[in-house]
Amino acid sequence: MELDNKEEPVESSSPMPNNEEDALLVDQRAAKRNGVKKILRAIWKYCKANMLLLLTILSVIIGLFLGLVIRTGEPSELAQQIIAFPGEIFLRALKMIILPLIVFSLIAGLGSLDIKVAGALGIRTIIYYATTTVLAVILGLILVLSIKPGSVHIPSNDCNNNTHIATNTLDIIDSIFDLMRNIVPDNLFTATYSQTHTEYYYVVDWTQCAKDLNISNVTSLSCDEIIQNINSTEMCTTIRQKSVNSRDGMNILGIITFTIAFAMVLSYLGEDGRKIVRVISILNDAIMKLVVIVMWYSPIGIASIIAGKLLEVDSLTDLLQELGLYMLCVLLGLFIHACLTLTVLYIIFARSNPLKLVRGALQAVLVAFGTSSSSATLPVTIKCLEDKLGYDKRVTRFMLPVGATVNMDGTALYEAIAAVFIAQVEGVATDFAKVIVIALTATL
């Protein structure tokens, strides 16, 4: 019996195309699947690398949504406090690490620099900060004098708002003196929680007032008896006096001054000074780890802050009617200053693409939007510039703490607009001399 030596045909595990068109179709489908997988992997990689940024953006949207929705239910004061409480904890956590962050970052940055390099960096920093602040003030004055938001202000019918309140306006000289006093604090420990501030108060010269009112035997009366004989002080002359007091708030400027001087002295000490700088650099790295931990709480905190602020407003309609044009003036000034003035300066001097800086620092921008605090945003700004943009730590740790205190362009622009806006509401003419005074005061 002969055996059949013919081999059985091997079945293919996958169907083979019958012609070239089917083969091309299969290849196209495979390429399409691979392309989709690559896109999904790229999206996941980006989301994973920027998870905190995306969560922060989402928190801003959620905060706005919750604030607008919850206020329709007219929540109680207790409910508003509960909603805003996580945001308060977030702000307190950021402010808690500001002091050690400023001290350690400045010493770690300046202590590793040559004294001549540090001096040149300091001069450039001061010139840049002064220039941008002056430009912000000029822009604010141009906008408020052109738009005139106070000329269409709607007066309030609330009787409680008709009470005259004397303003505590500082003279330019006193503002300069206060600035110098804060730069050189008399006590470094009190500088961690208080600032020097000049306050004005008015006193009545009772003896002269009694003479003006023709009260007899003035010289033989005591001060209390003179006061009892005067029924009204409307005809009395008041004397403005001033005193240098302290007010709550960390004197960051004084702390920065001492820290810079201390860091420069360490650079003179040679190897012994570098040992101390290395120890402080380790402490600064530990503080930055704390910043990372706090920042993962930021989405909850920012959403809470935004929702809480929206709930604090009694009526958004009345607010927009009374201050809508003023708000538009401020926002327009901030937009022009950020997107035009600072962008042009960055392109001219840095010769780089500003969009790269914006993308890297977007986390800090969102935190600043939610907290409205330069100091509270400082830890996030340092982390963004060093980790995402790769800036030199010696530069960032010097310029950013100083800038958070000195370079407040938004505040200077806002104060210039606010001063002229109030004058327009009250019908006070603002001539060129008054505009110059406002500009100097806002700059200082």
Side-chain angles (χ1 to χ4, degrees):
M1 182 177 179
E2 293 183 0
L3 296 175
D4 189 4
N5 293 327
K6 294 183 179 181
E7 297 181 354
E8 295 288 336
V10 179
E11 293 185 0
S12 176
S13 59
S14 59
M16 297 296 293
N18 295 326
N19 49 48
E20 294 180 358
E21 292 182 359
D22 293 339
L24 181 60
L25 183 61
V26 171
D27 292 340
Q28 288 177 350
R29 290 176 178 176
K32 186 177 180 180
R33 286 195 298 268
N34 292 333
V36 172
K37 290 180 180 179
K38 288 182 179 179
I39 294 174
L40 293 176
R41 280 196 295 265
I43 294 174
W44 169 248
K45 184 178 180 181
Y46 177 83
C47 293
K48 187 177 179 181
N50 299 274
M51 183 66 69
L52 186 57
L53 174 61
L54 297 176
L55 289 176
T56 305
I57 296 174
L58 184 62
S59 70
V60 173
I61 299 174
I62 292 175
L64 291 172
F65 176 77
L66 290 178
L68 294 174
V69 171
I70 295 176
R71 66 176 289 107
T72 58
E74 298 181 357
S76 63
E77 184 177 352
L78 178 60
Q80 295 180 21
Q81 292 178 353
I82 293 174
I83 293 172
F85 185 71
E88 180 184 351
I89 296 299
F90 173 64
L91 280 177
R92 294 174 71 91
L94 285 177
K95 293 178 180 180
M96 175 183 64
I97 57 181
I98 287 175
L99 179 60
L101 179 64
I102 291 175
V103 174
F104 295 153
S105 63
L106 278 174
I107 295 177
L110 289 179
S112 57
L113 285 176
D114 182 78
I115 191 65
K116 294 182 180 179
V117 176
L121 179 62
I123 293 174
R124 293 182 182 182
T125 300
I126 293 173
I127 293 174
Y128 172 77
Y129 285 162
T131 301
T132 56
T133 302
V134 170
L135 291 176
V137 172
I138 293 174
L139 175 61
L141 290 174
I142 291 175
L143 289 175
V144 73
L145 292 174
S146 302
I147 299 176
K148 297 181 180 179
S151 59
V152 295
H153 177 72
I154 301 175
S156 175
N157 294 325
D158 189 357
C159 295
N160 294 328
N161 294 331
N162 294 330
T163 304
H164 176 70
I165 301 175
T167 57
N168 188 26
T169 306
L170 285 178
D171 293 334
I172 295 180
I173 299 299
D174 288 329
S175 298
I176 296 175
F177 285 168
D178 285 347
L179 179 65
M180 299 305 298
R181 292 187 186 105
N182 285 316
I183 289 177
V184 186
D186 57 350
N187 190 318
L188 189 61
F189 293 100
T190 57
T192 59
Y193 60 85
S194 65
Q195 304 174 4
T196 302
H197 178 64
T198 299
E199 292 182 349
Y200 299 109
Y201 58 95
Y202 293 87
V203 296
V204 177
D205 188 348
W206 296 106
T207 302
Q208 183 62 40
C209 183
K211 292 179 180 179
D212 295 339
L213 296 176
N214 297 320
I215 297 177
S216 58
N217 299 325
V218 173
T219 56
S220 62
L221 297 177
S222 64
C223 183
D224 293 336
E225 291 173 337
I226 292 176
I227 295 175
Q228 291 176 359
N229 282 275
I230 298 177
N231 296 323
S232 175
T233 60
E234 293 181 358
M235 301 299 295
C236 296
T237 302
T238 57
I239 304 173
R240 192 179 80 158
Q241 296 183 357
K242 62 183 178 181
S243 63
V244 179
N245 300 320
S246 61
R247 61 181 178 184
D248 293 338
M250 186 187 304
N251 181 11
I252 300 180
L253 200 58
I255 295 172
I256 288 176
T257 302
F258 171 80
T259 307
I260 291 175
F262 185 72
M264 295 178 69
V265 170
L266 285 178
S267 64
Y268 272 116
L269 297 180
E271 183 60 31
D272 292 337
R274 283 192 288 270
K275 292 179 181 178
I276 298 177
V277 171
R278 282 194 291 269
V279 173
I280 294 178
S281 297
I282 296 173
L283 295 175
N284 184 71
D285 293 338
I287 291 296
M288 293 306 298
K289 294 293 183 181
L290 288 177
V291 172
V292 174
I293 296 173
V294 173
M295 287 314 303
W296 279 106
Y297 177 69
S298 63
I300 299 175
I302 292 175
S304 172
I305 291 172
I306 295 175
K309 292 298 182 183
L310 287 175
L311 294 178
E312 288 179 0
V313 180
D314 293 332
S315 175
L316 291 176
T317 304
D318 294 343
L319 179 65
L320 292 176
Q321 287 179 349
E322 295 183 7
L323 301 176
L325 200 56
Y326 165 71
M327 294 166 60
L328 176 64
C329 188
V330 174
L331 292 176
L332 181 62
L334 294 175
F335 178 80
I336 294 175
H337 185 69
C339 298
L340 184 62
T341 306
L342 297 181
T343 301
V344 171
L345 290 176
Y346 184 81
I347 294 174
I348 293 174
F349 294 103
R351 300 182 183 276
S352 180
N353 185 2
L355 294 178
K356 180 181 178 182
L357 175 63
V358 173
R359 286 196 301 267
L362 187 57
Q363 177 80 30
V365 173
L366 293 173
V367 174
F369 174 78
T371 61
S372 301
S373 173
S374 300
S375 299
T377 314
L378 177 60
V380 189
T381 309
I382 293 177
K383 184 178 182 298
C384 288
L385 295 188
E386 292 181 358
D387 295 347
K388 294 186 176 181
L389 296 172
Y391 285 6
D392 193 335
K393 294 182 179 180
R394 297 173 298 177
V395 177
T396 58
R397 294 176 184 181
F398 169 71
M399 291 195 65
L400 293 180
V402 176
T405 307
V406 178
N407 188 225
M408 295 186 178
D409 295 352
T411 302
L413 184 146
Y414 159 78
E415 289 179 350
I417 294 178
V420 178
F421 170 75
I422 295 173
Q424 292 173 351
V425 171
E426 298 294 334
V428 179
T430 52
D431 52 16
F432 181 75
K434 291 181 180 178
V435 171
I436 295 298
V437 171
I438 292 172
L440 293 174
T441 305
T443 303
L444 296 174

